[in-house]
Amino acid sequence: MNFKCPVCKKEWNSSLQVARHMFGTGDKPHKAWVDEQGKTQGFTFIDLMIEQATTPGNKSYVMLAEVIEKAQDKL
Amino acid sequence: MNKYTVINPHSEFKVINTHIHNIDGMAKVTGRATYTFDVKLPNMLYGKILRSPHAHAKILKIDYSRAMELPGVIGVVTGKEDTLGIKQGIWRRYQDLCDEQVLPVDKVRYIGEPVAAVAAITEEIAEKALDYIDVDYEVLPGVFEPLDAIKKEAPEIHEGFERNINVTRHIEWGDVEEAFEEAEYIREDWFKCGGQAHMCMETRAAVSSYTPDGKLTIYHSNQSPYYMQGLMAGVLGMREGDIRVISTYVGGGFGGKFELDGAIFCSAVLSKKLFRPVKIVFTREEDFIATKRRTPMFYYVRTGVKKDGTFCAREAKVFTNGGAYTGMGATALYLTGFFHSFPYRWKGYRYDGYRVYTNTLPSTSMRGFGAPQAMFCSEQQIEWIAADLGLDPIDMRRKNSHHEGYEVPGQATIASCGIDQCYDEIRKWIKDKGKLPANRAIGISACGFMSGGIFNWFDTPYSFSSAVVTINQDGTVELFVGAQEIGQGSNTTLAIICAEALGVRVEDIKVHSGDTDYCPPDLGAWGSRQTLMAGNAVKMAAEDAKKQLLEFAYAQSGYNIVYDMDIKDRWVHAIARPERGYDFGELVKKAIRGKDGQKIVGRGYYTPHRKGMISPAYSYMLQGVEVEVDEETGKIKLVDSMTAHDCGQPINHLGLIGQLEGAFSMAAGYGYLEYMPYEDGKLMNPNLVDYKMIRATEMPPANIAEIDTYEPEGPYGAKEAGEGLTNPTAAAIGNALFHRFGIQMKENPIRPEMILNALKEKKEKEQGKKGKK
């Protein structure tokens, strides 16, 4: 199954790669989408990015990937 | 005495692969070479720049009326009154990253940032006038370290960059988690890499002359006249063609001279305002505090390997101290992540890089472009892993190294790679050394580097490199290139390639470079791109001219069967009958007559296509250093060194040796001497007394074993030489200390006090253990 970026609709075969793409792009629309999702779940784009940067592992990406997976139905 | 040996030498060439002195050497050693400092124009004024004493402040008001009253002062310019206030940067496609006004309008972001510039009839008067310019600032809180700048409460340096994160870069391949699971041993470390000043012999300098017909001529010390022309046109609101940039002789660049600096910008703005030529030459102190530096970095590295030394996975997280503006630092952020994987094969690799704004001097590209930092961390950690697992560090490296045909997943294909033979040569050198005295040890480090980047950050429609070859009626050849000679010897290298391709001698070639009115566009001297990229353009232009000549030779020959013809050493001949032919000069004269008097003109260009994400080709090297340590003082002395190096086909052995020795000297300085301490954003040692560089007497022998491979993408098989060797030395020094004392150096430059502290800590630990027993 392919996963779409909820902002620019580019596709990858893993939601983790979509998450990585969203962090890597980091432009205003991508940031805004993550921030919007975070309103209810208590995170922001920049929080996730700094968490990713300062702790080992891939926690932020995994967390965003789960959000992306849940959003696929609406795309 | 340095030793230089060549492994796998080729001998098919007439001109390349020989020892040729720099073609501009005579002009330089006799003092006839004109640098920007030497330029004098009629009616010329001298400019000086007023600089910010604050790391972060709003500019409320600038009053220069008192300065204008000083006899001899002709004019003052400020960002608000005399510039268009355009934000500029090299990444023209990404406007967010074009964040710098060379004369800021409303805010300063580092100590030393230009605030106003004055022109006077003498340099002394201009300097004095700076004291008479009154600036009202509203001082803002500053932040100086990246890990502080990302905190929630940190001051905002640029609007819209949350938590001061300037740029992020991510590289990943393979399933990193799975690859870590396969690992039987995982090690993680934090490192801190320092900044480094470029320390060009020639400080930044410019002479600008704007004339009433709307044309601007600029003499400027830079690495890319074409960039300067384009950037200046953008900030001054002029057409590129109305600006001529001349930079004939340049006294070094090392990555610091292809962005706009205060000298070029302020002299041009003053000249536009006053209609007189204006010269600005930076003092050494200005060069320290107001030009950019090597990017300081914080590195987290986690590496997973199998017990037999097979590399599985690596994860790196990097914070770079970006300083006040983006400049070329965004590229350094990407390249440090890419080269951190080098020269090894990783099943899973992940890099997350964060460039953070701070209120310090901006950081940018510098020889090695992010790779010296990467290798300092990577190559030491690899050594420690080998020791942890009880493995031979050379064998472990060799087992995991790149090889010809290897693909760095999604990033690059390695078409030529001589690193395997590098391991043999270093092993041989270590063996020949025998038993070392007690206070000495050998450390080694491997690395690889690019032959020019495939990055069109300047967003130009022109080719990456271009060249024009014109043959005169007397057989002399004019070679026009956009590539910039900055002391690295590129004009000599390109003359050699032209002579080889055309079949003439180096003394027949006159190279024209560094003038945007006469030379074709080229992205400039950075990222080791001159030999491969400009070299390909020159080869193509020379072959185009040669083809035109040979067409005439075929027609002239009157042979009744078809012979392939060639030109070697000024002799135009049938390949199968080399004794039958024509003198090159005579044939040229006839060909020009035959073409109704038109000169023979060949054109060449090069832009890499389908060559991966980073570069068309990669050089490889392994370095060993013998280090002596004084345990009382912690002082390091380099005793000997050996570099096994693969740059494809060497073009000029003398040039190659010079480049490798220069890179080694700079890299050694980065490893243990060149330190840039800041206090509240202020550099504490902006002079050549307190900033320690390696001196001639401290240079150890720089022995070289050159492994000649053939790079299919390079001209005659050539690739990078000279920049890449800035990368391994710091780690090699660290590794020597590890072998001598068992201490792990996680910060560079490795200063004496760090060694003493590490030794003390180690002693205390050992005593603690004994006590417990």
Side-chain angles (χ1 to χ4, degrees):
Chain A
M1 181 194 168
N2 274 4
F3 293 89
K4 276 185 187 171
C5 168
V7 179
C8 62
K9 309 291 187 275
K10 281 184 190 163
E11 290 185 25
W12 283 267
N13 58 11
S14 124
S15 56
L16 205 61
Q17 276 174 299
V18 182
R20 176 159 292 279
H21 149 79
M22 296 197 78
F23 277 114
T25 309
D27 60 2
K28 280 176 191 163
H30 286 82
K31 267 186 189 172
W33 187 86
V34 177
D35 287 343
E36 188 58 35
Q37 306 305 305
K39 274 181 189 169
T40 51
Q41 300 180 50
F43 61 78
T44 67
F45 180 92
I46 212 81
D47 287 339
L48 288 183
M49 182 180 275
I50 287 171
E51 166 79 13
Q52 173 73 18
T54 49
T55 55
N58 217 11
K59 287 176 201 160
S60 290
Y61 286 180
V62 171
M63 191 173 167
L64 185 60
E66 283 168 10
V67 177
I68 289 165
E69 278 178 29
K70 283 178 193 161
Q72 291 297 304
D73 296 345
K74 296 172 199 162
L75 302 175
Chain B
M1 184 74 179
N2 296 344
K3 275 187 200 158
Y4 177 72
T5 48
V6 181
I7 319 291
N8 310 334
H10 299 80
S11 58
E12 60 192 283
F13 305 111
K14 277 275 177 201
V15 192
I16 72 172
N17 207 22
T18 56
H19 287 56
I20 293 175
H21 286 281
N22 271 353
I23 56 174
D24 57 9
M26 191 62 80
K28 285 178 174 171
V29 298
T30 56
R32 286 171 169 82
T34 304
Y35 290 83
T36 304
F37 179 84
D38 303 310
V39 173
K40 276 185 187 157
L41 299 179
N43 218 16
M44 190 172 81
L45 300 171
Y46 296 85
K48 280 284 173 189
I49 297 171
L50 181 70
R51 302 186 176 282
S52 167
H54 304 295
H56 198 194
K58 277 185 190 165
I59 302 169
L60 302 177
K61 191 181 159 198
I62 302 176
D63 179 0
Y64 54 84
S65 55
R66 286 200 306 138
M68 289 302 293
E69 284 166 15
L70 197 68
V73 171
I74 308 297
V76 174
V77 289
T78 67
K80 197 170 186 178
E81 289 180 10
D82 302 290
T83 71
L84 300 176
I86 292 171
K87 289 182 178 176
Q88 61 83 28
I90 233 108
W91 286 84
R92 298 199 294 192
R93 187 168 284 184
Y94 302 96
Q95 281 304 306
D96 271 5
L97 302 185
C98 296
D99 55 9
E100 185 172 8
Q101 294 163 332
V102 183
L103 267 179
V105 171
D106 52 2
K107 194 175 170 186
V108 287
R109 295 178 174 88
Y110 69 94
I111 292 171
E113 184 163 2
V115 175
V118 56
I121 55 171
T122 69
E123 206 173 352
E124 291 73 24
I125 295 172
E127 177 84 43
K128 196 174 173 192
L130 298 180
D131 294 337
Y132 293 82
I133 299 174
D134 301 311
V135 186
D136 286 345
Y137 293 101
E138 179 192 333
V139 178
L140 302 169
V143 63
F144 311 107
E145 289 292 344
L147 296 173
D148 294 333
I150 60 168
K151 287 179 182 164
K152 269 188 181 154
E153 65 275 16
E156 183 184 59
I157 298 170
H158 286 269
E159 212 174 293
F161 287 85
E162 210 178 338
R163 305 273 202 107
N164 294 311
I165 290 183
N166 169 213
V167 185
T168 64
R169 287 281 181 266
H170 308 279
I171 301 170
E172 185 168 342
W173 63 78
D175 188 325
V176 183
E177 308 308 333
E178 197 180 279
F180 267 116
E181 272 170 30
E182 279 180 30
E184 293 164 325
Y185 174 87
I186 294 174
R187 181 177 176 117
E188 47 192 318
D189 295 285
W190 272 96
F191 295 87
K192 187 182 175 190
C193 302
Q196 188 180 18
H198 294 85
M199 292 304 307
C200 304
M201 290 286 279
E202 184 191 15
T203 60
R204 271 65 169 180
V207 180
S208 297
S209 178
Y210 185 77
T211 48
D213 56 356
K215 307 281 192 238
L216 177 64
T217 302
I218 308 170
Y219 299 83
H220 183 233
S221 175
N222 69 63
Q223 293 177 235
S224 175
Y226 170 62
Y227 275 1
M228 289 305 133
Q229 185 190 38
L231 291 170
M232 287 298 282
V235 290
L236 297 175
M238 294 175 70
R239 293 188 303 178
E240 285 182 11
D242 288 335
I243 298 176
R244 179 183 179 191
V245 176
I246 304 168
S247 41
T248 48
Y249 286 93
V250 172
F254 309 116
K257 287 187 182 170
F258 53 87
E259 294 177 50
L260 288 192
D261 57 46
I264 186 171
F265 184 75
C266 293
S267 68
V269 174
L270 282 164
S271 183
K272 267 193 94 177
K273 186 172 183 175
L274 305 172
F275 286 101
R276 288 175 69 172
V278 178
K279 179 180 198 170
I280 296 181
V281 179
F282 278 15
T283 62
R284 181 59 65 186
E285 184 182 355
E286 282 181 298
D287 234 35
F288 266 112
I289 65 164
T291 65
K292 294 169 184 171
R293 61 178 162 160
R294 188 187 292 287
T295 311
M297 296 186 186
F298 288 88
Y299 244 95
Y300 164 82
V301 191
R302 181 169 170 245
T303 303
V305 304
K306 288 191 175 171
K307 278 182 185 163
D308 65 357
T310 306
F311 289 180
C312 299
R314 171 167 275 186
E315 180 182 36
K317 293 174 193 292
V318 174
F319 289 91
T320 74
N321 188 339
Y325 299 103
T326 304
M328 290 300 302
T331 314
L333 183 73
Y334 186 75
L335 291 175
T336 198
F338 176 67
F339 284 111
H340 191 64
S341 73
F342 258 57
Y344 306 109
R345 306 185 311 276
W346 301 97
K347 202 169 173 189
Y349 181 79
R350 178 192 298 140
Y351 165 77
D352 292 281
Y354 304 88
R355 187 174 198 274
V356 186
Y357 282 130
T358 60
N359 292 113
T360 60
L361 187 67
S363 54
T364 189
S365 52
M366 185 171 172
R367 200 174 192 175
F369 229 154
Q373 297 94 322
M375 303 329 288
F376 177 72
C377 309
S378 171
E379 284 294 306
Q380 283 197 99
Q381 198 192 52
I382 284 171
E383 198 80 8
W384 303 337
I385 289 172
D388 290 346
L389 296 176
L391 299 171
D392 179 283
I394 294 185
D395 286 347
M396 191 175 84
R397 283 182 172 89
R398 190 171 195 154
K399 182 177 186 170
N400 295 286
S401 275
H402 285 184
H403 50 72
E404 209 172 286
Y406 173 67
E407 192 189 333
V408 184
Q411 308 282 320
T413 302
I414 309 302
S416 64
C417 177
I419 196 160
D420 212 34
Q421 281 177 284
C422 292
Y423 289 112
D424 290 338
E425 292 305 311
I426 288 293
R427 178 81 83 192
K428 220 183 289 171
W429 177 73
I430 294 172
K431 198 178 165 199
D432 289 348
K433 286 255 144 204
K435 196 172 183 308
L436 298 176
N439 60 344
R440 289 189 192 172
I442 285 175
I444 65 147
S445 172
C447 76
F449 201 61
M450 62 178 171
S451 301
I454 305 180
F455 320 120
N456 187 2
W457 52 52
F458 203 58
D459 200 16
T460 173
Y462 295 121
S463 61
F464 278 26
S465 279
S466 37
V468 177
V469 166
T470 306
I471 309 177
N472 298 317
Q473 58 90 21
D474 59 358
T476 58
V477 178
E478 316 270 346
L479 169 61
F480 296 85
V481 290
Q484 180 60 38
E485 165 72 61
I486 55 172
Q488 83 281 42
S490 71
N491 279 0
T492 308
T493 299
L494 298 176
I496 292 169
I497 290 172
C498 184
E500 184 72 47
L502 202 50
V504 295
R505 296 175 190 169
V506 172
E507 58 263 36
D508 299 332
I509 315 279
K510 196 189 285 176
V511 183
H512 303 273
S513 65
D515 187 333
T516 53
D517 264 14
Y518 298 103
C519 302
D522 181 288
L523 297 188
W526 54 263
S528 294
R529 52 186 304 288
Q530 308 269 260
T531 300
L532 188 138
M533 296 203 179
N536 272 328
V538 167
K539 185 167 179 272
M540 185 179 180
E543 285 170 349
D544 181 18
K546 183 177 178 178
K547 184 171 170 278
Q548 294 172 44
L549 254 188
L550 287 181
E551 280 167 2
F552 186 78
Y554 284 124
Q556 279 281 302
S557 66
Y559 297 139
N560 63 355
I561 55 169
V562 177
Y563 284 107
D564 279 330
M565 299 191 81
D566 198 6
I567 311 172
K568 293 271 182 204
D569 199 20
R570 298 179 183 154
W571 181 243
V572 188
H573 58 276
I575 291 170
R577 310 282 295 270
E579 72 285 0
R580 289 194 181 182
Y582 311 91
D583 174 74
F584 181 80
E586 286 304 311
L587 186 79
V588 171
K589 206 179 283 177
K590 283 182 185 170
I592 290 173
R593 281 218 177 90
K595 288 176 79 179
D596 212 12
Q598 288 182 76
K599 270 191 176 182
I600 294 164
V601 180
R603 291 185 174 80
Y605 61 91
Y606 177 80
T607 298
H609 292 287
R610 294 170 178 265
K611 299 295 168 192
M613 290 278 288
I614 313 294
S615 176
Y618 298 87
S619 62
Y620 288 92
M621 62 219 78
L622 197 73
Q623 187 175 64
V625 292
E626 185 183 348
V627 176
E628 187 177 291
V629 189
D630 183 332
E631 278 187 68
E632 294 294 315
T633 61
K635 211 176 161 194
I636 287 175
K637 183 184 170 194
L638 296 185
V639 180
D640 197 8
S641 76
M642 175 73 188
T643 302
H645 184 266
D646 156 33
C647 70
Q649 168 64 60
I651 300 295
N652 175 16
H653 289 287
L654 275 185
L656 175 63
I657 293 166
Q659 277 291 288
L660 295 183
E661 286 183 3
F664 175 52
S665 148
M666 186 174 251
Y670 179 65
Y672 79 101
L673 279 176
E674 298 187 43
Y675 180 42
M676 297 184 86
Y678 281 83
E679 276 184 22
D680 296 332
K682 186 174 180 171
L683 181 64
M684 302 310 288
N685 58 348
N687 59 70
L688 280 170
V689 175
D690 299 318
Y691 183 87
K692 308 290 184 196
M693 292 177 71
I694 196 162
R695 294 173 298 185
T697 51
E698 289 155 345
M699 263 296 278
N703 305 302
I704 299 160
E706 184 56 51
I707 285 111
D708 292 12
T709 58
Y710 180 86
E711 168 54 49
E713 188 64 16
Y716 297 105
K719 52 187 179 181
E720 184 272 337
E723 186 172 1
L725 196 60
T726 325
N727 307 335
T729 312
I733 294 170
N735 286 338
L737 293 172
F738 176 64
H739 287 297
R740 169 72 186 85
F741 300 115
I743 52 175
Q744 297 177 347
M745 308 315 296
K746 298 190 179 179
E747 183 180 340
N748 76 14
I750 302 168
R751 303 184 298 282
E753 63 269 28
M754 289 161 56
I755 295 173
L756 293 179
N757 286 339
L759 288 174
K760 195 178 157 201
E761 203 178 306
K762 192 181 163 229
K763 205 173 170 185
E764 281 168 1
K765 262 189 199 168
E766 283 167 358
Q767 278 170 350
K769 273 183 195 169
K770 273 183 195 167
K772 276 179 190 171
K773 280 178 189 172

